[in-house]
Amino acid sequence: MNAKQNKAIQVMGLQKSYKTVHVLKGVDFEVEKGSIFALLGSNGAGKTTIIKILTTLLKQDGGTATVNGFDVAAKADLVRQSISLTGQFAAVDEILTGRENLIMIANLRHLKNPRQIAEDLLNRFGLSDAADRRVSTYSGGMRRRLDIAMSLVGNPQVIFLDEPTTGLDPEGRIEVWKTVKALAANGTTVFLTTQYLEEAEQLADRIVILHEGKIIANGTLADLKKLFPPAKVEYIEKQPSLEDVFLAIVGKKEEN
Amino acid sequence: MQATKKYYFSDMGVMLSRSMRHIFRSMDTIMTVTITPIAMMLLFVYVFGGAIQTGTANYVNYLLPGIMLIAIASGISYTAYRLFLDMQSGIFDRFHSMPIARSAALWGHVLTSLVSNAISVMVIILVALIMGFRSPAGVLSWLAVAGILALFTLALTWIAAIAGLSAKSMDGATGFAYPIIFLPFISSAFVPTASMPKVVRAFAENQPVTSIVDAIRALLSNQPVGSELWVALAWCVGIMVVAYFFAMRIYQKRV
Ligand SMILES: Nc1ncnc2c1ncn2[C@@H]1O[C@H](COP(=O)(O)OP(=O)(O)OP(=O)(O)O)[C@@H](O)[C@H]1O
Ligand SMILES: [Mg+2]
C-alpha cells in the first residue's frame, strides 16, 4: 500500500500500435513522487506516444497506467486535475500576449486571482518585459519558457515535459534545467523525455531507455554506467558518458 | 466529472474570448470576408442590374439575401482555417490534458464563427443601406431573418469543422468552401429561377440556397412567407445535425 502511494506514475505492460506500426510492445516503469524521471529514446522510439497516453490524449491498446494513483483510461478527469503537459511542439497562443496566455490558463483552471498568478510567472521566467507583446514576436527560447510557465499555472503535482530543450541554445537549456530542478525541489514530480543523454545525466534521478518498443535500461545514472563494460586501462581517465552506455546497450541488443 | 460540468459555460466563455481576440486582432479577415460580396453587390447592382428582370423595382433589395449567404459561406472557411491551426499547433493537446470539457474548445470556435459572421453580415447590410436597400419589415421579421441566418451559419460552421478537423493541409481546410460559395449563383439569389434553362432550373429550385433566399426575401419585403420558410429551416437544421454528428465523431477520434 505504502509503496504504491509513493509512486506518481505506474506503467505496466503498455501496448500501442498505430495502423501498421507497433510502437509500444509492453512498457513497464514506475516514477517516484517528487523525482525527476527521464525517458530517453531516439527519433520515433515512442516517447511522445507514452506521454500522450499518460496525459489522457491517447488510449492505449493494452496494459495499464496510473498517474497520481488514478487510472488514465478510467479516471481521466482525475488524472487531468493532477497533471500538466508541455508538449513537444510549443502549445502557446501566438496571437495573444504572454500575459493573456497565462491568464487564459489560470481561468481554465478556475483559479482565483489570474492576473497575480500571471504576473508572478512572468517575473519568474524573465518574461516581464515581453509580457504585453504578442507571442508571435517571441524568440524560440522565450516561447518555450512561456510554454513551461503555462504548465506551472495552478501547481500541478505531476508535470510532463516532452523534449523541453529541443531547439534551445545552451543558455536556454540551462535555464530550463534550473526550472526543472527547482520544481522537483518543491516536491513536484517531473516526467521528461529527451534525446540528449547529457540532459538526462544532468537532471534525472532515474533514467529509462526506450528502444524498439521496450524499456531496455532502467536505473539511476550510476546503475546505467555499471552496464557499460569497464573502461579499459588505457582509457582510464574517461568515464563512460550516458551516450556510450546507450550506444553500447543498443549495439548489444541489435547483435542478439 | 462534476468539475468539468460545473464550469462548462465558464470554460466555453474563456475559449470564446480567446478566439474573439483572434478575430479582432486580424480585422483583415473580416475585410477579406466582406469585400468580395460587397464587390459583387456593386457589380450586380450597377453593371448587370439594369439588364436583369426580377420584377422588383429595387434590385439591391432583391440581391441582399444572396449576398449575405455568400458572405457567410466565405466566412466559415476562416473557421476551418482557425480550427486547423489549433489542431496543428498543439494548443488543443494542452486544453485536452486539462480538466475542462473536451468539447469546450470546439464550441469556442463555433460560437466565434457565429459572432464573426454576424459582424460581416451587419457590415454588408450597412453597405446595402448606403446603396439604397430599404425594408418595410418589422422587428419580428428581422428577428426571423437573424434566426435563419444564424441557423445557416451554424450548419455551414459544422461543415467547416469537419474540414478543419480532418484536413491534412491548409488548402484542404479552406478549399471546401468554394463549392458552397458558388451555390448561390445557381439559385434565385441573383435572378429568378424561372429565367433558367430546364435542367439548371430544376437544380436551382431544389437546392437549399433558393429556399433560404426566398424566405429571407419575403420576410424583408413584408410579403407573406409560405412553405419556403419551412423548407429553408428543414435544410438548415438537417445539414446542421448531420454535419454536427460527423464533426463530433472526427473530433472525438482525433483528440
Ligand atoms: N498518429 C500517428 N499515426 C501513425 N503513426 C504514428 C502516429 N503518431 C506516431 N506515429 C509513429 O509512431 C512512432 C513513435 O512516434 P512518437 O512520436 O511517439 O516518437 P518519439 O519518440 O516521440 O519521436 P521524436 O523523438 O521524433 O519526437 C513513430 O514511428 C511514428 O511515425
Ligand atoms: Mg516525440
Side-chain angles (χ1 to χ4, degrees), chain A residues 52 55-57 77 80-81 85 90-93 95-96 100 104-105 108-110 134 147 150-151, chain B residues 1 3-4 7 10-11 14-15 18 21-22 25 89-91 93-100 102 255:
Chain A
K52 284 198 162 171
T55 55
T56 75
L57 296 176
D77 236 60
R80 288 181 202 140
Q81 287 181 21
L85 164 67
V92 294
D93 190 313
I95 295 168
L96 302 184
E100 287 169 339
M104 172 175 74
I105 299 298
L108 288 174
R109 289 200 181 272
H110 318 117
R134 284 191 200 186
D147 202 18
M150 283 163 76
S151 288
Chain B
M1 278 297 149
T4 59
Y7 291 110
S10 132
D11 292 343
V14 177
M15 297 295 180
R18 163 176 180 256
R21 281 208 172 100
H22 285 201
R25 283 178 195 177
S89 76
I91 199 142
D93 279 355
R94 182 188 286 287
F95 291 150
H96 294 144
S97 66
M98 290 174 68
I100 54 183
R102 293 216 152 181
V255 298

Side-chain angles (χ1 to χ4, degrees), chain A residues 102-172:
Chain A
L102 290 163
I103 291 176
M104 172 175 74
I105 299 298
N107 280 329
L108 288 174
R109 289 200 181 272
H110 318 117
L111 302 172
K112 292 196 185 81
N113 245 330
R115 300 211 134 258
Q116 190 56 47
I117 292 169
E119 191 66 46
D120 292 346
L121 282 166
L122 287 165
N123 283 330
R124 190 166 144 200
F125 283 83
L127 291 168
S128 299
D129 291 340
D132 297 308
R133 260 169 39 201
R134 284 191 200 186
V135 173
S136 53
T137 67
Y138 284 20
S139 72
M142 292 163 78
R143 215 169 284 207
R144 200 62 185 168
R145 287 200 317 259
L146 177 64
D147 202 18
I148 296 176
M150 283 163 76
S151 288
L152 302 192
V153 172
N155 302 315
Q157 288 148 286
V158 185
I159 291 191
F160 292 88
L161 302 168
D162 196 356
E163 301 195 22
T165 60
T166 301
L168 292 189
D169 60 13
E171 217 173 305

